Amino acid sequence: MVTLVTNLAREIKEFLENQGAATVGIVSSSKVEDALQAGGTSLMENSQSVVCFGFPVPEGVFASPVLTESQYWRAVNMLYRRIDFLSLDAANFLEAQGFQSLPLFTCFPQYTERPRYIGAAQLVPIAVAAGLGGLAKCGLLLSRDFGLRLLLGGILSTARLEPLNTGNAIECPSDCWKCIDACPVQAINRSGKVDHERCLRHSTQNPLFAEYIRDKTRRGEYGYDLLLNTLGVEDHSMYTCIACVKACPKNYTTR
Ligand code: SF4
Ligand code: SF4
């Protein structure tokens, strides 16, 4: 029988919080199996637990009346790096205790089943199961403390850690549809389904990717997903729309 590693759950939480994570939860991997597979194959055999953590984008980025999209671009790309470094460090921390562990990166790698763009792990349902927030009407994570501003990372591990629900889930008010109504290209329907391709065409510009993908020879040689992952990653693409995230009144708690 596998026993719960109680102290290790506390240690990994402290480890992540000491590195700046604003919120940390732990959930049994059996509760989020569907979120832990890529193309129908499990990310890790014998995994027992998923640790999920979040860093907020500062509220002032959304409130700023100028350069909002480009400031958001800089903020999230800095946080993506920080979160991914921390997922790597935490996976190594758990492996040093004898438990095989896989970092769950925050944005890349992605694979496509177009029009869907899919991350290796589905961090939003994992975060919901760990109590970092509730599932917002627009399909993002809605946190009591941070609204839609949390970016997520995680670690999948063979360590059977004591579950930790952060109790930060809230539900969208029944009469609020601001995030969905804010989308200028109607990429989100009222059931929360997002047309990723329609969103990306409006919300992201990547001159390098556009050049390569237009070139049939290069596209044939490298394939869409390889070009997406190498040229689309982080700083190479600029946001041109964050209207849905910006519209949420739950983002704004300071003055
Ligand atoms: S980022 Fe812009 S285009 Fe994409 S879903 Fe949000 S509002 Fe719509
Ligand atoms: S804008 Fe309204 S509906 Fe959308 S996530 Fe925020 S609270 Fe929920």
Side-chain angles (χ1 to χ4, degrees):
M1 187 177 117
V2 190
T3 48
L4 281 177
V5 196
T6 308
N7 289 343
L8 195 51
R10 196 185 64 238
E11 284 175 30
I12 193 73
K13 179 175 186 290
E14 285 175 3
F15 178 87
L16 292 164
E17 287 176 343
N18 287 340
Q19 299 299 318
T23 177
V24 181
I26 300 173
V27 64
S28 164
S29 25
S30 64
K31 293 203 184 306
V32 284
E33 271 174 3
D34 289 351
L36 294 170
Q37 50 85 27
T41 303
S42 289
L43 292 173
M44 175 187 263
E45 285 182 14
N46 305 322
S47 76
Q48 297 292 328
S49 311
V50 199
V51 182
C52 186
F53 62 94
F55 278 68
V57 175
E59 183 182 319
V61 169
F62 297 99
S64 174
V66 287
L67 296 174
T68 316
E69 287 79 12
S70 46
Q71 294 192 80
Y72 180 76
W73 165 79
R74 191 62 181 157
V76 298
N77 285 331
M78 290 295 97
L79 283 174
Y80 287 155
R81 284 180 171 78
R82 187 163 176 197
I83 291 169
D84 285 357
F85 275 127
L86 194 48
S87 295
L88 282 163
D89 287 349
N92 282 326
F93 176 89
L94 289 168
E95 292 207 340
Q97 321 300 316
F99 300 101
Q100 192 176 80
S101 299
L102 176 72
L104 303 178
F105 295 117
T106 190
C107 193
F108 287 91
Q110 294 179 10
Y111 65 100
T112 57
E113 289 170 1
R114 294 177 72 196
R116 294 177 67 214
Y117 289 65
I118 309 163
Q122 308 300 299
L123 286 164
V124 170
I126 293 168
V128 169
L132 269 66
L135 186 62
K137 287 178 183 173
C138 55
L140 298 173
L141 184 80
L142 183 65
S143 148
R144 175 178 294 121
D145 294 336
F146 304 107
L148 298 179
R149 295 186 288 115
L150 272 186
L151 301 185
L152 301 168
I155 309 99
L156 180 59
S157 179
T158 56
R160 190 160 177 250
L161 303 168
E162 187 173 30
L164 171 67
N165 188 301
T166 64
N168 230 334
I170 51 170
E171 288 185 6
C172 294
S174 58
D175 60 348
C176 182
W177 300 94
K178 285 186 161 89
C179 50
I180 293 171
D181 292 345
C183 181
V185 293
Q186 292 79 48
I188 319 168
N189 72 22
R190 290 209 164 197
S191 69
K193 192 165 184 294
V194 179
D195 184 329
H196 296 156
E197 199 137 319
R198 185 182 290 200
C199 165
L200 282 172
R201 282 181 193 282
H202 183 75
S203 67
T204 309
Q205 287 211 333
N206 183 329
L208 198 55
F209 180 67
E211 282 297 314
Y212 270 72
I213 216 71
R214 264 198 294 265
D215 183 328
K216 284 195 175 135
T217 309
R218 284 171 164 164
R219 185 173 173 156
E221 187 175 350
Y222 299 114
Y224 189 90
D225 283 13
L226 192 147
L227 291 174
L228 174 72
N229 278 290
T230 54
L231 303 178
V233 72
E234 298 178 345
D235 295 357
H236 296 157
S237 48
M238 172 61 76
Y239 293 113
T240 48
C241 176
I242 57 166
C244 50
V245 188
K246 189 176 173 177
C248 180
K250 306 284 185 197
N251 290 336
Y252 306 100
T253 54
T254 64
R255 287 181 181 270

